[in-house]
Amino acid sequence: MSLLSLTRIWRRLIPGILALLFLCSNGVGFAADILPVEQIRPGMHGIAKTVVTGNSIDEFGVEVLGVMKDKGPSGDLILVRVYGDLVDKTGIAQGMSGSPVYIDGRLIGAIAYGWSLTDHKVGMVTPIADMLKLWELPVQAAPRQQAAEQEQTEQVEEQPSADQGKEQMELKPVATPVMAAGFTANALTMLKEKLAPFSLVPYGVGMAPGGTSSEPLQPGSAVGVELVRGDVSLGALGTVTYVEGDKVLAFGHPFLKKGQANYFMTNAHVFTTLAGLENAFKVGVTGEAVGMISQDRGAGVGGLAGRYPTIIPMRILVKDNSTGASRDAEVQVIQDDQLSPILAAATVFNVIDKTLDRAGSGTARLSFEISGRNMPIETIKRDNMFYTAGSIAELAVSELHEALSVLAGNQYNQVDIMDVKVDVTIDSDRKTAAITEARAGKTEVRPGEQVDIIVKLKPFRGEPVSRTVSFTVPKNQPAGALTLEVRGGGYVPLYNILASQGLVGETLKPRRQKQSFDKVVQDLVDRDRNNDLVAEIMDLNFEDFTGDHAAQKQAKGKQTAKSLEPQLPQFSKTKNKFSADGIEADKPKKSYLTTDYIVEGDTQVMLQVVANNKK
């Protein structure tokens, strides 16, 4: 045979060889026969596989105690007892959920459930047949679209009935430990608080050690379900149950039960497994992203190798002016209506906390840009200043969290957040200033005329300074007295204080649920900043507050809502107006000046508007 013929044959074989290697590396070689739950009997013995240290897969013994019919969220559960040197000290540890169980080489399912504060060597196995059903469900390009609806539906379906009793309430999934790598102690405290409603308890760990091998996922491998990755990592650890081609099953119970899911699927490294009074748990960290978790349901989680979730890339820059320290962090946060705002804000908080290397007060200037699809505007830009005697890092991220929550959880349309940039500057000094006085450059003005409002400010432990706000009288302003409210941008206006005291009727309050998405976003962008010096018309009809106010309130209680409307204090035509159904009619007439201080307090300036001379 000629050399050319051998070369042609070899070229034909190469694709087949490579395909075989790819399939083997993705677990086809690990596919096992299945033992149906109907054939399982008490007294049967088998083995389970898991990782307790590093990446090597170990085995421990399993004895079947019985089959509990219709006990789990997806059907039957198999009651087992584990034994052997590997689990003598720890029993079934958090992170072992998903450990495949074999009897005579045939797969029966995944260790998934147990009882707290009892014998940790007794647990429940989710049958593999129920887990395989996850592969029959469709995977959508944007799986989070139906997540909230799916979650609500499944939670309703699984509420325990009255005759299920206390035992059902005590049965719990083998907890999935959430490992927070690169987070400070303060950031970890924030995460624990914010993630508590999702039953997630994060543990602080270090990043994966250098040189850690990244073996292909196979039954018994440690697997990560990651929510944040990059310069920090936040993800849950569990065990792979079954692999077939590019499809992976794990956990044997839900993670967050989102239904259609959108998480990173990673390999993982286990540092060690610790024994505990209530539960033992694995200490580890997520590793290389190998795909996405696309299903998160009662019987477990299902992933696809080589496909990845939709994410929010974030760039975070933080500088501490007091020390000159700075940090530049890049992370990827999963797209999720409920989790994304929490995860993004906690990550920024963490970078601030690391940069400051201290706790407590300070002044922060934070700006952010959010870009995405299906937003009313292409990019949301916002900057503001904050001061607190408490945790400045936590206060600084409040508006970012609010903006992301408005976008991710809006009731109008799905928004794909595509990019977030955050820039933070921190000073240890208190940069606040109180308004001590305000006066107009002239007190008699005409409609359409501009007037300077000179405001005296007293900075904290500093010398008084003056700032000037130019205010333009509305062209349609009627002749007569005009009151201007001069205040800090973050200060509550007088008319809001009156409303809180019951002096302004409910019909004056806007009903935000009737606002358009465009209006909600624009209000967020245009909102006064804490370091703005604001001058705006405060033209309440105070005649309604004269006389016996208590008597007026008693009389109002006997009238219908419609008859009350003319008697309620009304904003002037140049101020916010609300129609009878509470929808805002137009914007207030105001001017502002941005300062280097967080402006505190308010005062009023009186003007006299005179009519223009008629020609």
Side-chain angles (χ1 to χ4, degrees):
M1 185 177 293
S2 67
L3 180 61
L4 180 60
S5 298
L6 288 171
T7 302
R8 287 174 177 171
I9 293 173
W10 176 246
R11 286 178 175 173
R12 290 174 183 173
L13 290 175
I14 285 177
I17 294 172
L18 292 176
L20 180 61
L21 290 173
F22 174 80
L23 291 175
C24 289
S25 68
N26 280 277
V28 171
F30 305 116
D33 291 335
I34 291 172
L35 182 63
V37 69
E38 294 80 10
Q39 299 179 24
I40 296 174
R41 300 289 182 268
M44 286 183 166
H45 286 259
I47 62 165
K49 296 182 178 183
T50 197
V51 174
V52 294
T53 304
N55 300 97
S56 59
I57 299 174
D58 294 303
E59 298 179 356
F60 55 91
V62 177
E63 177 189 2
V64 175
L65 302 179
V67 175
M68 305 185 76
K69 304 300 290 184
D70 202 25
K71 180 67 173 176
S74 300
D76 302 339
L77 291 177
I78 305 164
L79 184 65
V80 300
R81 184 188 303 277
V82 301
Y83 60 88
D85 294 341
L86 197 70
V87 291
D88 274 348
K89 293 182 179 180
T90 64
I92 298 172
Q94 297 178 9
M96 287 185 181
S97 56
S99 298
V101 180
Y102 303 86
I103 294 178
D104 296 330
R106 302 173 71 185
L107 179 63
I108 68 168
I111 291 178
Y113 292 89
W115 287 269
S116 60
L117 300 174
T118 58
D119 185 355
H120 299 318
K121 294 181 182 178
V122 175
M124 308 281 265
V125 171
T126 297
I128 187 60
D130 291 332
M131 297 180 69
L132 288 170
K133 294 176 184 177
L134 298 182
W135 289 345
E136 300 172 5
L137 300 171
V139 178
Q140 297 183 358
R144 68 190 183 284
Q145 286 180 274
Q146 299 177 352
E149 179 181 350
Q150 181 68 41
E151 181 182 17
Q152 292 173 358
T153 301
E154 294 192 348
Q155 284 178 343
V156 170
E157 289 174 351
E158 289 197 30
Q159 291 297 320
S161 59
D163 61 352
Q164 284 180 298
K166 185 179 179 182
E167 184 181 18
Q168 172 69 24
M169 300 301 293
E170 293 178 346
L171 179 64
K172 296 181 179 179
V174 177
T176 306
V178 179
M179 299 297 158
F183 285 86
T184 66
N186 290 330
L188 199 61
T189 299
M190 172 185 263
L191 279 173
K192 287 179 179 178
E193 176 187 347
K194 302 301 182 185
L195 295 178
F198 302 93
S199 299
L200 297 180
V201 180
Y203 298 88
V205 296
M207 302 298 284
T212 302
S213 61
S214 55
E215 299 292 332
L217 294 180
Q218 56 180 296
S221 293
V223 64
V225 175
E226 198 169 34
L227 307 177
V228 181
R229 66 180 287 107
D231 289 333
V232 297
S233 171
L234 182 69
L237 296 186
T239 304
V240 175
T241 306
Y242 187 65
V243 179
E244 185 176 307
D246 62 348
K247 297 180 292 187
V248 178
L249 294 174
F251 284 23
H253 62 69
F255 172 47
L256 293 173
K257 207 167 188 183
K258 288 282 187 178
Q260 299 258 359
N262 182 61
Y263 321 131
F264 285 103
M265 181 172 68
T266 76
N267 52 36
H269 178 85
V270 179
F271 295 112
T272 188
T273 302
L274 299 176
L277 294 177
E278 184 173 354
N279 286 108
F281 65 95
K282 294 182 181 182
V283 179
V285 65
T286 56
E288 179 185 356
V290 297
M292 72 175 291
I293 298 295
S294 58
Q295 299 292 340
D296 179 8
R297 300 182 184 271
V301 300
L304 294 169
R307 294 181 61 177
Y308 297 93
T310 52
I311 54 96
I312 303 173
M314 294 186 65
R315 173 83 179 271
I316 306 161
L317 302 173
V318 179
K319 182 178 180 181
D320 182 359
N321 284 338
S322 302
T323 64
S326 63
R327 281 184 181 269
D328 182 348
E330 294 186 10
V331 297
Q332 296 175 336
V333 177
I334 62 155
Q335 289 258 18
D336 182 271
D337 290 350
Q338 296 172 304
L339 288 172
S340 294
I342 295 172
L343 299 174
T347 301
V348 176
F349 173 94
N350 180 67
V351 180
I352 296 174
D353 195 52
K354 273 191 170 183
T355 307
L356 293 183
D357 195 24
R358 65 174 179 84
S361 64
T363 302
R365 185 186 295 270
L366 184 144
S367 63
F368 61 80
E369 295 183 12
I370 303 173
S371 303
R373 284 192 293 258
N374 300 325
M375 296 198 316
I377 53 180
E378 185 176 343
T379 302
I380 293 177
K381 296 182 180 181
R382 176 78 179 162
D383 67 270
N384 207 344
M385 284 182 68
F386 305 90
Y387 168 79
T388 179
S391 171
I392 184 58
E394 185 168 359
L395 180 62
V397 301
S398 58
E399 274 197 349
L400 173 65
H401 177 267
E402 179 187 4
L404 291 171
S405 297
V406 165
L407 294 174
N410 81 83
Q411 60 181 318
Y412 307 97
N413 56 264
Q414 178 184 324
V415 170
D416 293 319
I417 301 173
M418 302 175 64
D419 187 56
V420 177
K421 295 183 178 69
V422 184
D423 196 326
V424 189
T425 304
I426 307 288
D427 285 280
S428 58
D429 298 335
R430 175 175 174 173
K431 294 193 172 183
T432 63
I435 296 175
T436 60
E437 181 186 346
R439 62 180 177 83
K442 52 184 175 181
T443 57
E444 189 175 281
V445 294
R446 297 180 183 278
E449 187 176 1
Q450 181 175 291
V451 59
D452 289 339
I453 309 298
I454 299 93
V455 185
K456 286 188 178 181
L457 302 173
K458 174 60 172 68
F460 179 75
R461 294 179 180 173
E463 296 298 321
V465 296
S466 294
R467 296 290 185 267
T468 301
V469 183
S470 295
F471 180 82
T472 301
V473 179
K475 292 181 180 180
N476 61 345
Q477 181 68 34
L482 177 64
T483 303
L484 295 184
E485 169 91 350
V486 180
R487 61 178 175 84
Y491 198 77
V492 179
L494 176 60
Y495 45 83
N496 284 0
I497 296 175
L498 295 174
S500 69
Q501 295 175 349
L503 300 178
V504 175
E506 291 293 325
T507 56
L508 290 179
K509 296 180 181 179
R511 298 174 186 171
R512 288 194 175 275
Q513 65 269 27
K514 292 189 177 183
Q515 290 180 315
S516 67
F517 190 26
D518 295 37
K519 183 67 168 59
V520 171
V521 172
Q522 199 61 52
D523 282 352
L524 175 67
V525 174
D526 293 341
R527 180 191 300 167
D528 299 331
R529 292 168 291 195
N530 297 327
N531 54 316
D532 283 343
L533 187 57
V534 179
E536 64 181 340
I537 293 177
M538 188 194 71
D539 199 10
L540 288 169
N541 181 4
F542 283 100
E543 293 178 0
D544 294 304
F545 294 100
T546 60
D548 186 352
H549 183 66
Q552 290 182 28
K553 289 181 67 176
Q554 185 177 5
K556 287 177 182 179
K558 299 178 181 179
Q559 301 176 43
T560 63
K562 188 172 183 65
S563 66
L564 283 176
E565 288 175 7
Q567 302 179 38
L568 291 172
Q570 300 293 323
F571 292 105
S572 73
K573 294 182 178 180
T574 57
K575 184 59 187 166
N576 276 348
K577 300 195 304 297
F578 299 94
S579 59
D581 63 0
I583 300 176
E584 189 175 16
D586 63 359
K587 292 183 178 180
K589 299 298 185 287
K590 66 181 179 181
S591 299
Y592 68 91
L593 175 73
T594 301
T595 74
D596 293 328
Y597 303 98
I598 297 167
V599 183
E600 299 176 336
D602 72 333
T603 188
Q604 290 76 45
V605 172
M606 301 296 295
L607 300 176
Q608 184 67 32
V609 180
V610 296
N612 288 316
N613 295 327
K614 295 183 179 180
K615 295 182 178 179

